Amino acid sequence: MNLPLETLYQITSGQEFTFETRLQAILELGCTKFGLEYGILSQVKIDHALSKEDGQEEHYSYKIIAVIAPNQSIQKQQIYKLEDTFCQVTINAKQPLYFESIKFSGLPFCPAHSIFPIEAYMGTPVIVEGEVYGTLCFWSSQALSEPFQAVDRDLLKLMAQWIGGEIERQETASALAKARDQALAATRAKSEFLATMSHEIRTPMNAVIGMTGLLLDTALTPMQQDFVETIRSSSDALLSLINDILDFSKIESGKLDLENHPFYLRTCIEESLDLLVTKAASKNLDLAYLIDPCTPTQIIGDMARLRQVLVNLLSNAVKFTDNGEVVVSVTAEKINDSNIYSAKIQEKQPGKEGSINPTLSCSFYKIKFAVQDTGIGIPANRMDRLFKSFSQVDSSINRQYGGTGLGLAISKRLAELMGGQMWVESQGSVAGDPPVNFKIEQSLDSFCLLDEDDHKTEKNNLNRWGFNLLFYRCYRVLF
């Protein structure tokens, strides 16, 4: 390989160096190879101040971006008028411009010769996104005795192409980063606005619900009681919507914290079922739960968020089931390597109050919750909408059954915050994020949540919405 080209390749491929360092190395290489004293990368821009003074013609400035110069006679960031440099001639040529002696260049007198003592010169335009960015040029105050070779011109072109491509890449990355920051700022502003508004709305809504509750305890005519119950049910529905929006905005802004406290698993399940008893009874649905004897009775985790996920899945099961039953089943698998899982929990919630102490003797469990139902199932071509925010499986479903489309999105994000993953299986299709070893069962409609590691999950031949979570039990705390 040609030595200068090999050197250029080594410079441009050195990702451990900054762009400025590689740029200086390229200028040094050019000065050495071409036998010239000065190396300059310039940027050409419209000089708005001069253009405004002139009033008619646009004037351009010549800014030094990087430079190699004897005795530092030319500095970075210095600015000249474009017409006072050879850069203008180079740009107009639209190709490499070179001469060993200005006397034999055939160029008309240029003011640059009075500003820069140029006798020998080689320069070419630098193109960024199809437009002239500036020039890469090398020159000397002494004429050369040997002519430039074709390989010199090719090397100059390669240098300019790499510099133009790198500047374009950096500008693109900067634009993307700016767009990302703007999008994140807009998302944060939206989430903060939603959180603020939700708080502001929820406060008077609690008063409305409380006062209607008190009103229902007074002597009312049947018609008045019907009116007040309508107000109460509508207020409850609106408060539920506000709570969903508040949770969603907290999750989006990264301000939702999980707690770690001991609680009884059976109590959590029963409280979740109690919230759906009335609605299930109105549709003549049977509600039940089964807990495997191997499941620990008391665990450490966020009971409120677990109940929230259970209620979301139970609500969907009852909503989309017209007859039959809804059953919650719970099984557990003990995980022996407590040190690994203790480290995982500490990593997910470092320094949080109530987080696990790794010095305690702990048992870790992968607990599987399955909300089994005999519902209508989910069409395969609509499953991709399930975990999207404010999205329903179908617009007709939205009109018939209502809902905000936030429940499953929130449940999925809560699952991920607890170190899990969620997916849905229905009618032989799957959506979401199933584990690698997951196998579809044709008769199963399910939402499942697993911890980060792949563990085999046993399933019954029932339609179900389910999830698996990682919990731990510390003997010093509980026994």
Side-chain angles (χ1 to χ4, degrees), residues 48 189 204 226 297 325 331 351 384 386 460:
H48 294 285
D226 182 59
T297 58
E325 63 183 13
T331 58
D384 59 334
L386 285 170
N460 301 319

Side-chain angles (χ1 to χ4, degrees), residues 15-231:
Q15 298 297 327
E16 67 275 15
F17 301 111
T18 64
F19 174 64
E20 289 74 16
T21 301
R22 287 183 285 175
L23 194 54
Q24 289 297 121
I26 287 175
L27 294 178
E28 291 175 1
L29 172 63
C31 290
T32 303
K33 177 64 178 66
F34 305 143
L36 300 172
E37 300 172 295
Y38 296 81
I40 296 177
L41 172 66
S42 68
Q43 182 181 15
V44 175
K45 284 185 174 181
I46 295 178
D47 191 326
H48 294 285
L50 287 175
S51 299
K52 187 177 293 185
E53 290 177 5
D54 187 276
Q56 295 180 351
E57 185 178 355
E58 288 185 338
H59 292 268
Y60 292 83
S61 64
Y62 176 90
K63 183 178 180 180
I64 307 296
I65 301 300
V67 61
I68 296 290
N71 303 320
Q72 297 183 345
S73 55
I74 301 176
Q75 300 287 330
K76 284 177 61 175
Q77 306 301 319
Q78 284 183 328
I79 299 176
Y80 303 89
K81 292 180 180 180
L82 178 62
E83 55 266 28
D84 292 342
T85 69
F86 270 107
C87 186
Q88 186 174 30
V89 182
T90 304
I91 292 173
N92 292 337
K94 298 181 180 180
Q95 60 183 354
L97 174 68
Y98 59 94
F99 50 82
E100 295 79 10
S101 174
I102 194 170
K103 295 180 181 178
F104 306 104
S105 65
L107 295 174
F109 174 77
C110 177
H113 193 256
S114 61
I115 298 176
F116 302 113
I118 296 176
E119 289 293 334
Y121 177 88
M122 175 176 278
T124 188
V126 175
I127 306 300
V128 175
E129 296 183 350
E131 300 291 336
V132 175
Y133 170 85
T135 62
L136 174 66
C137 65
F138 300 88
W139 55 274
S140 180
S141 59
Q142 301 293 328
L144 297 181
S145 58
E146 296 293 332
F148 292 116
Q149 304 296 319
V151 67
D152 296 331
R153 298 191 292 273
D154 292 340
L155 180 62
L156 180 66
K157 288 180 180 179
L158 289 174
M159 289 176 174
Q161 287 173 3
W162 181 83
I163 292 172
E166 188 66 13
I167 292 173
E168 182 174 340
R169 186 192 67 79
Q170 290 185 1
E171 289 182 349
T172 302
S174 177
L176 289 174
K178 184 177 180 181
R180 180 202 61 202
D181 292 342
Q182 290 176 344
L184 290 175
T187 300
R188 285 194 297 269
K190 178 197 70 175
S191 298
E192 291 172 1
F193 172 76
L194 288 174
T196 302
M197 290 304 299
S198 297
H199 278 297
E200 293 297 324
I201 297 173
R202 188 165 59 172
T203 301
M205 281 307 306
N206 284 326
V208 171
I209 293 172
M211 296 308 294
T212 52
L214 292 176
L215 188 57
L216 285 171
D217 293 334
T218 63
L220 300 172
T221 66
M223 181 177 292
Q224 290 172 333
Q225 184 166 359
D226 182 59
F227 290 161
V228 175
E229 287 177 349
T230 300
I231 295 172

Side-chain angles (χ1 to χ4, degrees), residues 203-275:
T203 301
M205 281 307 306
N206 284 326
V208 171
I209 293 172
M211 296 308 294
T212 52
L214 292 176
L215 188 57
L216 285 171
D217 293 334
T218 63
L220 300 172
T221 66
M223 181 177 292
Q224 290 172 333
Q225 184 166 359
D226 182 59
F227 290 161
V228 175
E229 287 177 349
T230 300
I231 295 172
R232 176 64 181 268
S233 62
S234 299
S235 300
D236 287 337
L238 182 55
L239 183 60
S240 176
L241 172 60
I242 294 170
N243 288 335
D244 281 347
I245 294 175
L246 182 58
D247 281 341
F248 182 75
S249 63
K250 281 183 177 179
I251 293 172
E252 287 289 302
S253 59
K255 295 181 179 179
L256 184 68
D257 296 327
L258 297 179
E259 297 181 354
N260 280 319
H261 298 293
F263 65 93
Y264 287 99
L265 187 57
R266 184 182 300 271
T267 301
C268 179
I269 296 171
E270 290 178 349
E271 289 179 355
S272 302
L273 288 169
D274 286 343
L275 296 174

Side-chain angles (χ1 to χ4, degrees), residues 302-318:
D302 194 326
M303 177 179 177
R305 295 303 176 184
L306 172 59
R307 182 171 56 228
Q308 183 176 354
V309 175
L310 279 171
V311 170
N312 272 327
L313 297 183
L314 282 166
S315 297
N316 281 338
V318 172

Side-chain angles (χ1 to χ4, degrees), residues 425-427 441-446 459-460 462-464:
E425 180 192 349
S426 180
Q427 301 177 7
E441 295 185 19
Q442 297 296 327
S443 63
L444 183 65
D445 293 337
S446 65
K459 297 182 177 181
N460 301 319
L462 293 170
N463 297 328
R464 59 187 171 184

